[in-house]
Amino acid sequence: ELAQIDDVKKALACLLFGGCRKRLPDGTRMRGDINILLLGDPGTAKSQFLKFAEKAAPIAVYTSGKGSSAAGLTAAIVRDREGFTLEGGAMVLADGGIVCIDEFDKMDQNDRVAIHEAMEQQTISIAKAGITTMLNTRCSVLAAANPVFGTYDDLSSTGDQMDFETTILSRFDMMFLVKDVRDPERDFNLCKHMVGLHSGEVVESREGPLGVLELRKYISYCRGKCEPRVSPEASEVLKNHYVSIRQAMKQEKATVPITVRQLEAIIRISESLAKMELREDADTSHVEEALRLFTVSTLDSANKDRSNIGMDNLTEEQKESLQKAEEQIRRLLPRGARRNKHQLHSQLVQSAGIDDKMAKLAIHMLIIRRELQEKAGGTIQRVE
């Protein structure tokens, strides 16, 4: 889990430095800003990531999804004594920087649709009250959200737990699942640190080689002075990987389709990694690291269907326990019988002495194999 958090920190660094904006000879603009979505359990420090990004970015606007509307994020027409005036929203004010949106899942669906153009074309078109204009929103979006049911369920597919349209998900370059893993050693260290903070024992705060102020200056300098491009060798590596990813995703039912947008995302991540080192070219090492970050974020979180959980990751002991649980279910539930799912699970754990996780997995596997059917009222029925 710590490695996963390290990957989130690397992704945030890429967002802060950003890729390179390009203007083609025909006048078309290609965005260089990176958008990131953090999806995960409550209490996993998602808001802290957003708060730090706001402090470290030269230009930043922080907002909450519940208290934001389409007009508040994009632009609003205000009437005064002299007539109508145009007021820019959070994304217009954050032009050239980042906008942090906490509780992104609490936003109204119609308000989320309003930022589609702002995230991809990086402009907002206004045609209201006789005012027709276009505003720039050249900013990165860092959003944090919770799954549909509040916490993440490993036995359900990620697609079922995301309350977002494919159109908005495809606009995020990286999506991370930030899960609350129950590890006794990690929990003890975290508890010790938190108790120390509250009791006043832990007073010194660890700081890296650069303070936040120096980091902000360095980010500002890199964004203004460095414009790296992907080298020819790195381009070949990128092309081969992209084609193989597309072929692999064709066989899976992907929540987020892998399109040219995702290819551009990998290029932007490569450029931002080169920009951190003040390089003129993004070489093969930058592209490979960008592909790794993209794989551990978007591919793993959006396209891995956890409902097809296999037996490969289980130990021999766990396989035996799973088989025992399945036999107990068949004994407790005769063919055609129907029973409350929660009561069956409780009986397996308390009476049969089966591990909680194995009991859940056994019920889940039998449902997948169509031996059990889920019915109304939280009940399950054994197929005759």
Side-chain angles (χ1 to χ4, degrees):
E1 181 62 14
L2 288 173
Q4 176 73 10
I5 289 175
D6 284 342
D7 287 334
V8 175
K9 290 174 184 175
K10 282 180 186 174
L12 284 184
C14 291
L15 176 135
L16 289 168
F17 283 88
C20 302
R21 293 193 187 99
K22 300 171 189 75
R23 195 177 185 90
L24 302 182
D26 62 351
T28 308
R29 292 192 308 180
M30 299 176 76
R31 75 174 166 104
D33 298 291
I34 295 168
N35 301 322
I36 295 177
L37 173 66
L38 303 178
L39 183 81
D41 297 327
T44 47
K46 298 188 298 296
S47 298
Q48 293 302 318
F49 283 129
L50 268 65
K51 287 286 185 184
F52 178 79
E54 185 200 11
K55 280 197 293 183
I59 301 169
V61 175
Y62 185 95
T63 181
S64 174
K66 191 68 178 172
S68 303
S69 64
L73 286 171
T74 54
I77 302 288
V78 181
R79 186 171 189 171
D80 56 15
R81 291 177 183 177
E82 297 176 6
F84 292 101
T85 56
L86 188 64
E87 287 189 1
M91 297 187 81
V92 177
L93 296 174
D95 187 37
I98 69 167
V99 59
C100 304
I101 307 174
D102 204 356
E103 307 289 349
F104 192 60
D105 55 311
K106 310 295 187 296
M107 274 181 72
D108 187 71
Q109 186 179 340
N110 296 329
D111 295 336
R112 276 206 298 264
V113 170
I115 65 171
H116 279 195
E117 183 195 354
M119 284 180 74
E120 190 59 41
Q121 276 71 44
Q122 298 204 304
T123 55
I124 289 170
S125 306
I126 299 290
K128 291 178 183 177
I131 299 173
T132 308
T133 187
M134 195 175 283
L135 301 173
N136 286 325
T137 56
R138 296 163 298 185
C139 62
S140 299
V141 175
L142 175 59
N146 296 118
V148 176
F149 306 111
T151 56
Y152 191 79
D153 181 10
D154 282 321
L155 297 179
S156 300
S157 66
T158 309
D160 295 337
Q161 300 185 68
M162 283 186 178
D163 191 22
F164 303 115
E165 304 79 20
T166 308
T167 47
I168 194 89
L169 289 177
S170 68
R171 285 167 165 79
F172 285 104
D173 301 325
M174 287 184 273
M175 287 178 290
F176 283 94
L177 284 178
V178 190
K179 290 192 282 183
D180 183 14
V181 176
R182 286 153 185 80
D183 177 17
E185 188 181 345
R186 180 173 171 268
D187 290 345
F188 177 77
N189 291 332
L190 181 62
C191 180
K192 185 180 173 184
H193 178 71
M194 291 303 295
V195 171
L197 282 174
H198 283 277
S199 61
E201 291 173 14
V202 183
V203 285
E204 75 280 356
S205 59
R206 286 186 298 170
E207 201 169 83
L210 287 176
V212 176
L213 189 62
E214 287 81 8
L215 177 64
R216 193 187 302 154
K217 288 177 181 176
Y218 183 64
I219 290 168
S220 185
Y221 179 82
C222 291
R223 287 177 74 111
K225 302 289 183 183
C226 192
E227 293 281 329
R229 293 289 186 270
V230 178
S231 64
E233 298 84 13
S235 298
E236 287 300 317
V237 173
L238 188 57
K239 279 186 273 188
N240 295 334
H241 275 283
Y242 176 68
V243 171
S244 62
I245 288 171
R246 285 270 291 182
Q247 285 175 339
M249 285 303 112
K250 217 174 188 181
Q251 299 162 8
E252 293 186 28
K253 190 181 178 183
T255 309
V256 178
I258 303 303
T259 61
V260 181
R261 272 185 185 158
Q262 279 63 45
L263 175 63
E264 288 181 332
I266 298 166
I267 293 169
R268 282 192 288 271
I269 298 163
S270 307
E271 289 171 349
S272 69
L273 289 166
K275 196 180 278 191
M276 292 177 203
E277 302 171 7
L278 291 172
R279 298 276 190 90
E280 290 184 3
D281 292 317
D283 57 26
T284 312
S285 64
H286 297 129
V287 169
E288 285 175 351
E289 177 61 15
L291 282 161
R292 190 192 70 80
L293 277 174
F294 181 75
T295 304
V296 300
S297 58
T298 305
L299 291 189
D300 278 5
S301 63
N303 298 318
K304 190 187 286 179
D305 190 359
R306 284 165 179 77
S307 62
N308 298 327
I309 191 161
M311 305 282 283
D312 305 332
N313 300 326
L314 299 178
T315 62
E316 288 300 319
E317 191 181 338
Q318 286 175 324
K319 284 179 184 177
E320 284 178 23
S321 179
L322 181 64
Q323 198 172 356
K324 183 187 169 187
E326 288 178 3
E327 286 171 6
Q328 284 287 342
I329 291 168
R330 292 185 188 108
R331 197 174 297 138
L332 292 167
L333 207 64
R335 290 186 181 275
R338 186 167 167 177
R339 196 159 175 198
N340 184 280
K341 188 177 178 181
H342 180 68
Q343 287 176 357
L344 179 64
H345 171 261
S346 300
Q347 191 169 351
L348 285 171
V349 175
Q350 291 165 12
S351 305
I354 292 164
D355 180 63
D356 180 74
K357 185 182 174 185
M358 287 297 116
K360 275 185 183 176
L361 186 56
I363 295 169
H364 184 70
M365 293 297 285
L366 289 174
I367 290 170
I368 289 174
R369 290 193 211 128
R370 314 258 172 153
E371 286 188 47
L372 298 178
Q373 280 185 342
E374 293 200 70
K375 298 289 184 180
T379 58
I380 48 175
Q381 184 178 14
R382 190 171 171 194
V383 179
E384 292 182 23

